[in-house]
């Protein structure tokens, strides 16, 4: 007689949408650049929220990081800034990438052309 081995399907975590980058403004400010990034994300509280975004060069190297220290479940979308970002000479474009405390860095980036 063959033994049947029950197969248990464990519930995998439901991956929410990555934080969406709704808008980015960039401007020179003093000796660096200031980035204002507007995100939206279905934050549910301390267990699941958008917890950061970063500025990358076009090769994917991190140039600046903005950590978001708390959830924004009642403030959507929301805008946070990062000042003093030093860009290599001749930089004409950067990428912005968002992060969620549960799902990590988004696969998507937004390209920003600097004026």
């Amino acid at each position: 007689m063959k033994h049947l081995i029950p197969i248990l399907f464990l519930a995998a975590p439901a991956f929410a949408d990555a934080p969406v980058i709704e808008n980015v403004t960039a401007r020179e400010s003093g000796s660096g650049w200031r980035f204002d990034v507007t995100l939206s994300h279905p934050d549910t509280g301390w267990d699941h929220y958008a917890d950061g975004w970063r500025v990358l060069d076009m090769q994917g190297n991190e140039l600046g990081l903005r950590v978001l220290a708390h959830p924004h479940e009642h403030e959507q979308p929301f805008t946070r800034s990062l000042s003093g970002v030093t860009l290599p000479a001749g930089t004409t474009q950067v990428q912005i990438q968002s992060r969620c405390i549960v799902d990590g860095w988004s696969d998507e980036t937004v390209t920003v052309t600097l004026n």
Side-chain angles (χ1 to χ4, degrees):
M1 173 179 205
K2 293 184 180 180
H3 295 282
L4 296 178
I5 300 172
I7 298 173
L8 300 176
F9 292 97
L10 301 176
F15 291 101
D17 295 331
V20 174
I21 300 167
E22 301 285 352
N23 190 49
V24 178
T25 58
R27 67 178 185 269
E28 281 189 273
S29 177
S31 62
W33 283 78
R34 175 186 166 117
F35 292 86
D36 299 304
V37 176
T38 302
L39 296 179
S40 62
H41 181 263
D43 290 7
T44 59
W46 291 100
D47 60 331
H48 193 177
Y49 67 97
D51 71 333
W53 54 266
R54 63 185 175 180
V55 180
L56 305 171
D57 66 15
M58 296 309 289
Q59 291 72 44
N61 299 304
E62 185 177 292
L63 303 172
L65 171 65
R66 177 60 156 97
V67 174
L68 304 171
H70 60 85
H72 296 87
E73 67 265 41
H74 301 295
E75 180 189 359
Q76 293 290 325
F78 62 97
T79 302
R80 295 297 178 268
S81 302
L82 179 63
S83 296
V85 178
T86 302
L87 302 180
T91 300
T92 59
Q93 289 185 317
V94 295
Q95 303 173 82
I96 305 296
Q97 184 180 36
S98 63
R99 182 176 71 189
C100 166
I101 198 167
V102 171
D103 301 316
W105 290 108
S106 172
D107 290 334
E108 303 294 320
T109 61
V110 170
T111 300
V112 178
T113 299
L114 306 171
N115 296 325

